[in-house]
Amino acid sequence: MLVSESPLLRLAIGRELASGFELVHTLGTASADRRLDVSALPDALVIDLDTAERSGVPAFLVRLVERGFTGPRILVSSHFRPELAAAYSASCHTHFALARPWRPGALRSLVESVLGVADARRAAAGGR
């Protein structure tokens, strides 16, 4: 599930993840809450922190815990420095950070890694 008010960010993320992932777009945390209320929990969330409703994101993350969501949360922001985002991602099991703009393929690689998709593909390819 992609949580972002920005049409350009939703488009960029959609392009990078379109092949291989089913993406549910939401227009911010209120829209994401409504979607989560009526459907199953997604495997992962990509959350745009560069949003007008930035102050609502912490409360949204708390509601995810209350819902029992245990999947990864990928936090995307232009305020992250790439080195710190990578260090943060390496130190946590549920929250991951990605600096904007990211290198082509970086988001896809991060999503595959946190979902274990890359490991499954390597195993299916014979460990190459």
Side-chain angles (χ1 to χ4, degrees):
M1 178 180 283
L2 169 57
V3 183
S4 177
E5 297 171 337
S6 168
L8 292 177
L9 184 63
R10 289 194 313 271
L11 181 63
I13 290 173
R15 282 184 180 152
E16 187 148 343
L17 299 179
S19 65
F21 296 98
E22 181 181 336
L23 212 60
V24 175
H25 293 263
T26 63
L27 302 174
T29 59
S31 175
D33 275 328
R34 287 190 300 274
R35 279 298 201 52
L36 292 169
D37 284 342
V38 297
S39 63
L41 293 177
D43 292 328
L45 287 160
V46 178
I47 304 167
D48 177 14
L49 297 183
D50 299 337
T51 175
E53 64 172 5
R54 179 177 241 168
S55 62
V57 172
F60 175 71
L61 293 171
V62 168
R63 289 189 300 276
L64 289 174
V65 172
E66 292 169 349
R67 282 186 164 94
F69 180 74
T70 58
R73 298 122 169 115
I74 299 170
L75 309 175
V76 179
S77 177
S78 60
H79 298 286
F80 291 151
R81 289 195 330 225
E83 313 79 41
L84 292 176
Y88 178 77
S89 293
S91 68
C92 189
H93 296 291
T94 56
H95 289 77
F96 304 88
L98 183 65
R100 281 179 49 189
W102 59 85
R103 289 177 291 103
L107 175 61
R108 181 177 198 80
S109 177
L110 179 58
V111 170
E112 288 176 346
S113 174
V114 301
L115 291 176
V117 174
D119 296 335
R121 287 187 183 151
R122 266 195 298 279
R128 289 184 238 156

